[in-house]
Amino acid sequence: ALFEQSLVECRDRGDRRSTAVMICNLGEVAVLQGEIIRARILGAESLSLCASLSYQEGIAWSLPVLAAVAFLIGQPERAARIWGAEESLCEAINKQSWTDGADSERNIAAARAQLGESAFAAAWADGRALPLEQAIAEALER
């Protein structure tokens, strides 16, 4: 409820960066609540807004939401590429990865188990090597 209220306030102020962050926060909540369609919509909206603002930290926040969605809809290889892209972006902007939380770690471990270590590592490495624009496009795929 507080994220929803904050989102309204950010939009009213015309603060697009904070709006993107609040949308991302709502996407994370949707993932945790199992609302995958809502998480996909919110994650994509946040990522698109951050990309239009060239807001790299916001892009890094949005990518794990969409990686979780990809994993939860049965696309563990795509999820691994998105997680890898997020890790690479975080290193480039000197920020801690947003995949360090317990929920992300569980999904990452499950994706690794589904794919096998070799295929998971290859997908992660492929994601790390993606140019930012391609990583965004990968995350926004349906």
Side-chain angles (χ1 to χ4, degrees), residues 1 8 18 22 46 49 69 71 73 75 84 88 94 111 131 142:
V8 170
S18 295
M22 287 304 114
S46 176
L49 181 53
V69 169
F71 170 71
I73 63 170
Q75 299 175 345
S88 179
N94 200 30
R142 289 187 178 243

Side-chain angles (χ1 to χ4, degrees), residues 38-58:
R38 185 166 191 257
R40 164 73 179 86
I41 291 166
L42 292 165
E45 182 179 358
S46 176
L47 180 57
S48 296
L49 181 53
C50 290
S52 75
L53 298 169
S54 299
Y55 181 30
Q56 290 187 333
E57 191 170 357

